[in-house]
PDB file of all heavy atoms in Angstrom:
ATOM      1  N   THR F1242      15.550  -5.831 -13.207  1.00 88.00           N
ATOM      2  CA  THR F1242      16.816  -5.770 -13.927  1.00 88.00           C
ATOM      3  C   THR F1242      17.525  -4.475 -13.570  1.00 88.00           C
ATOM      4  O   THR F1242      16.928  -3.543 -13.028  1.00 88.00           O
ATOM      5  CB  THR F1242      16.573  -5.799 -15.442  1.00 88.00           C
ATOM      6  OG1 THR F1242      15.901  -4.584 -15.805  1.00 88.00           O
ATOM      7  CG2 THR F1242      15.711  -6.989 -15.829  1.00 88.00           C
ATOM      8  N   THR F1243      18.806  -4.424 -13.883  1.00 90.00           N
ATOM      9  CA  THR F1243      19.562  -3.202 -13.600  1.00 90.00           C
ATOM     10  C   THR F1243      18.989  -2.022 -14.380  1.00 90.00           C
ATOM     11  O   THR F1243      18.901  -0.907 -13.860  1.00 90.00           O
ATOM     12  CB  THR F1243      21.038  -3.400 -13.959  1.00 90.00           C
ATOM     13  OG1 THR F1243      21.554  -4.498 -13.209  1.00 90.00           O
ATOM     14  CG2 THR F1243      21.840  -2.167 -13.632  1.00 90.00           C
ATOM     15  N   ALA F1244      18.567  -2.300 -15.590  1.00 91.00           N
ATOM     16  CA  ALA F1244      17.974  -1.225 -16.402  1.00 91.00           C
ATOM     17  C   ALA F1244      16.706  -0.701 -15.741  1.00 91.00           C
ATOM     18  O   ALA F1244      16.487   0.521 -15.669  1.00 91.00           O
ATOM     19  CB  ALA F1244      17.673  -1.744 -17.802  1.00 91.00           C
ATOM     20  N   ASP F1245      15.899  -1.597 -15.236  1.00 91.00           N
ATOM     21  CA  ASP F1245      14.687  -1.181 -14.546  1.00 91.00           C
ATOM     22  C   ASP F1245      15.019  -0.302 -13.347  1.00 91.00           C
ATOM     23  O   ASP F1245      14.365   0.713 -13.097  1.00 91.00           O
ATOM     24  CB  ASP F1245      13.908  -2.417 -14.057  1.00 91.00           C
ATOM     25  CG  ASP F1245      13.135  -3.077 -15.180  1.00 91.00           C
ATOM     26  OD1 ASP F1245      12.831  -2.384 -16.169  1.00 91.00           O
ATOM     27  OD2 ASP F1245      12.835  -4.278 -15.068  1.00 91.00           O
ATOM     28  N   LEU F1246      16.018  -0.720 -12.621  1.00 93.00           N
ATOM     29  CA  LEU F1246      16.371   0.032 -11.426  1.00 93.00           C
ATOM     30  C   LEU F1246      16.909   1.403 -11.792  1.00 93.00           C
ATOM     31  O   LEU F1246      16.620   2.396 -11.106  1.00 93.00           O
ATOM     32  CB  LEU F1246      17.397  -0.748 -10.598  1.00 93.00           C
ATOM     33  CG  LEU F1246      16.835  -2.007  -9.944  1.00 93.00           C
ATOM     34  CD1 LEU F1246      17.922  -2.746  -9.168  1.00 93.00           C
ATOM     35  CD2 LEU F1246      15.694  -1.665  -9.009  1.00 93.00           C
ATOM     36  N   GLU F1247      17.660   1.460 -12.867  1.00 94.00           N
ATOM     37  CA  GLU F1247      18.167   2.771 -13.299  1.00 94.00           C
ATOM     38  C   GLU F1247      17.018   3.706 -13.587  1.00 94.00           C
ATOM     39  O   GLU F1247      17.006   4.873 -13.190  1.00 94.00           O
ATOM     40  CB  GLU F1247      19.060   2.598 -14.536  1.00 94.00           C
ATOM     41  CG  GLU F1247      20.512   2.309 -14.191  1.00 94.00           C
ATOM     42  CD  GLU F1247      21.323   1.962 -15.426  1.00 94.00           C
ATOM     43  OE1 GLU F1247      20.774   2.071 -16.544  1.00 94.00           O
ATOM     44  OE2 GLU F1247      22.478   1.542 -15.272  1.00 94.00           O
ATOM     45  N   ARG F1248      16.047   3.197 -14.285  1.00 95.00           N
ATOM     46  CA  ARG F1248      14.882   4.041 -14.578  1.00 95.00           C
ATOM     47  C   ARG F1248      14.169   4.442 -13.290  1.00 95.00           C
ATOM     48  O   ARG F1248      13.774   5.591 -13.113  1.00 95.00           O
ATOM     49  CB  ARG F1248      13.919   3.293 -15.492  1.00 95.00           C
ATOM     50  CG  ARG F1248      12.654   4.078 -15.728  1.00 95.00           C
ATOM     51  CD  ARG F1248      11.702   3.383 -16.663  1.00 95.00           C
ATOM     52  NE  ARG F1248      12.133   3.479 -18.059  1.00 95.00           N
ATOM     53  CZ  ARG F1248      11.450   2.956 -19.062  1.00 95.00           C
ATOM     54  NH1 ARG F1248      10.332   2.304 -18.841  1.00 95.00           N
ATOM     55  NH2 ARG F1248      11.887   3.086 -20.303  1.00 95.00           N
ATOM     56  N   SER F1249      14.028   3.473 -12.384  1.00 95.00           N
ATOM     57  CA  SER F1249      13.351   3.767 -11.120  1.00 95.00           C
ATOM     58  C   SER F1249      14.070   4.872 -10.359  1.00 95.00           C
ATOM     59  O   SER F1249      13.446   5.792  -9.833  1.00 95.00           O
ATOM     60  CB  SER F1249      13.312   2.506 -10.255  1.00 95.00           C
ATOM     61  OG  SER F1249      12.101   1.809 -10.448  1.00 95.00           O
TER      62      SER F1249
END
Side-chain angles (χ1 to χ4, degrees):
Chain F
T1242 66
T1243 301
D1245 282 337
L1246 291 179
E1247 272 172 7
R1248 175 178 284 181
S1249 266

